[in-house]
Amino acid sequence: MRALLQRVRRAQVDIDGVCVGKIDRGLLIFLGVTHGDTPEDAVKLAKKCAGLRIFKDDNGKLNLSLLDVGGSALIVSQFTLYGDTAGSGRRPSFSAAAHPDVAVPCYEKFISAVKELGIHVETGRFGASMQVDLVNDGPVTLMLELPQKQERISR
């Protein structure tokens, strides 16, 4: 499971010209799910995202987490985080992205786990064509990935 985090001053996701999720200060989290990921993995990654110290303290140091600053999270599903461009062609392969029967429960569990930590959460819509607008603060952008389990590596 991968999460691309962007520290934002504001972010919004629209579907067909309608805003479906909007936050001010916080994290825009693009979430990708691969084969073998579980809802338990989603909980671990949610805690890591919420606790990552990437917000500035009073001294300008990155010592505060989303939890510490009382920020919000905009969570957007993004299977393209598992796009593979290593082949000789020009079209990425998305075979490492999980099918919806695996990805949806993980995505939903990630959202609920972030909410359970007391963070205000807005979301996109799984599988929809979305337009994301954001003001990256810093800019700060980080990729988090859970270590792969042995059974996933053998696929």
Side-chain angles (χ1 to χ4, degrees):
M1 191 171 299
R2 291 178 179 161
L4 180 70
L5 280 64
Q6 295 189 312
R7 189 180 74 188
V8 297
R9 291 188 181 187
R10 64 173 171 77
Q12 173 176 321
V13 62
D14 296 346
I15 299 173
D16 296 327
V18 177
C19 176
V20 297
K22 182 177 184 178
I23 63 168
D24 289 318
R25 183 181 192 204
L27 293 176
L28 171 58
I29 304 172
F30 293 105
L31 186 70
V33 180
T34 192
H35 310 287
D37 282 340
T38 66
E40 292 77 22
D41 294 329
V43 172
K44 289 177 192 171
L45 189 58
K47 289 178 181 177
K48 177 122 181 160
C49 290
L52 198 63
R53 298 183 328 171
I54 58 173
F55 290 87
K56 292 181 181 178
D57 64 15
D58 291 338
N59 296 318
K61 302 285 184 189
L62 298 181
N63 279 327
L64 302 175
S65 70
L66 185 62
L67 291 164
D68 297 326
V69 300
S72 300
L74 176 58
I75 303 169
V76 177
S77 62
Q78 181 131 16
F79 76 94
T80 60
L81 288 178
Y82 279 98
D84 182 2
T85 59
S88 61
R90 296 180 301 174
R91 182 179 311 203
S93 168
F94 298 104
S95 62
H99 291 278
D101 60 330
V102 171
V104 170
C106 290
Y107 173 69
E108 290 175 348
K109 186 61 177 181
F110 183 89
I111 291 167
S112 67
V114 174
K115 286 180 178 178
E116 288 170 11
L117 293 169
I119 296 169
H120 173 76
V121 173
E122 298 279 328
T123 68
R125 187 179 315 139
F126 189 93
S129 177
M130 297 173 272
Q131 295 72 50
V132 180
D133 182 42
L134 67 124
V135 175
N136 192 319
D137 184 19
V140 173
T141 303
L142 297 166
M143 177 73 81
L144 300 182
E145 185 168 18
L146 291 179
Q148 290 192 332
K149 296 176 186 167
Q150 187 59 40
E151 62 268 19
R152 285 189 224 154
I153 295 170
S154 63
R155 288 186 183 222

